[in-house]
Amino acid sequence: MASLNVGNLGEYLREQRRNAQLSLRQLADAAGVSNPYLSQIERGLRKPSAEVLQQVAKALRISAETLYVRAGILDAERDRDDVETRAVILADPSLNEGQKQVLLQVYESFRKENGFGADADAEVGTADGAASIPEAGPKQTAG
């Protein structure tokens, strides 16, 4: 079977799985995909759907957006800063899930206020699939 152009994704997934101290079988079970299929993704032989990437990201507790970029689903150059920032927030073990979501909401509201990423954010949402959340609090005017 010929290797697809998703080797970078496979290498990254393997690295994240090892960092999480999970076997291939454990991750496959947690993500709800077959062990052989996950192995083929890691070896760059299969290109997974966005849904499969979402399941794997959730099982690894990492950003689905990061996986989307590595799989070529999102435009890496356009979205890189936003994706990396979100990935760092979502990967921070010192924050609970609620705190991560609030921090992402604040980050998103600042980006929108400064004229960045409103369209991309609305299409992608957050790593758990939630829709973008409107800016909270009173609007401030520049002055």
Side-chain angles (χ1 to χ4, degrees), residues 77-86 89 103-122 132-133 135 139:
E77 295 305 314
R78 185 189 75 199
D79 299 321
R80 183 172 308 275
D81 290 340
D82 179 48
V83 168
E84 288 177 355
T85 301
R86 288 174 184 270
I89 292 168
L103 191 51
L104 286 170
Q105 291 170 18
V106 171
Y107 171 68
E108 183 177 315
S109 72
F110 284 143
R111 284 181 50 86
K112 286 180 182 177
E113 183 177 312
N114 293 332
F116 293 97
D119 294 336
D121 292 344
S132 294
I133 296 156
E135 182 176 338
K139 283 244 182 213

Side-chain angles (χ1 to χ4, degrees), residues 10-138:
E11 293 168 16
Y12 180 76
L13 280 177
R14 183 178 298 116
E15 179 183 322
Q16 294 304 308
R17 178 177 57 79
R18 288 180 177 161
N19 287 344
Q21 299 179 339
L22 294 172
S23 70
L24 192 64
R25 186 172 308 278
Q26 289 171 320
L27 178 57
D29 289 343
V33 299
S34 75
N35 185 38
Y37 182 62
L38 185 59
S39 174
Q40 290 174 346
I41 294 169
E42 282 194 0
R43 291 181 290 139
L45 301 175
R46 297 276 184 188
K47 183 174 181 178
S49 68
E51 183 179 331
V52 168
L53 290 175
Q54 176 91 16
Q55 292 168 229
V56 171
K58 187 173 183 181
L60 287 170
R61 301 181 59 83
I62 63 174
S63 164
E65 286 101 340
T66 300
L67 297 184
Y68 295 159
V69 168
R70 291 189 181 263
I73 295 171
L74 286 179
D75 179 9
E77 295 305 314
R78 185 189 75 199
D79 299 321
R80 183 172 308 275
D81 290 340
D82 179 48
V83 168
E84 288 177 355
T85 301
R86 288 174 184 270
V88 168
I89 292 168
L90 291 168
D92 189 332
S94 67
L95 301 174
N96 66 39
E97 291 306 311
Q99 292 168 330
K100 291 176 184 179
Q101 292 306 312
V102 169
L103 191 51
L104 286 170
Q105 291 170 18
V106 171
Y107 171 68
E108 183 177 315
S109 72
F110 284 143
R111 284 181 50 86
K112 286 180 182 177
E113 183 177 312
N114 293 332
F116 293 97
D119 294 336
D121 292 344
E123 291 172 11
V124 174
T126 58
D128 66 358
S132 294
I133 296 156
E135 182 176 338

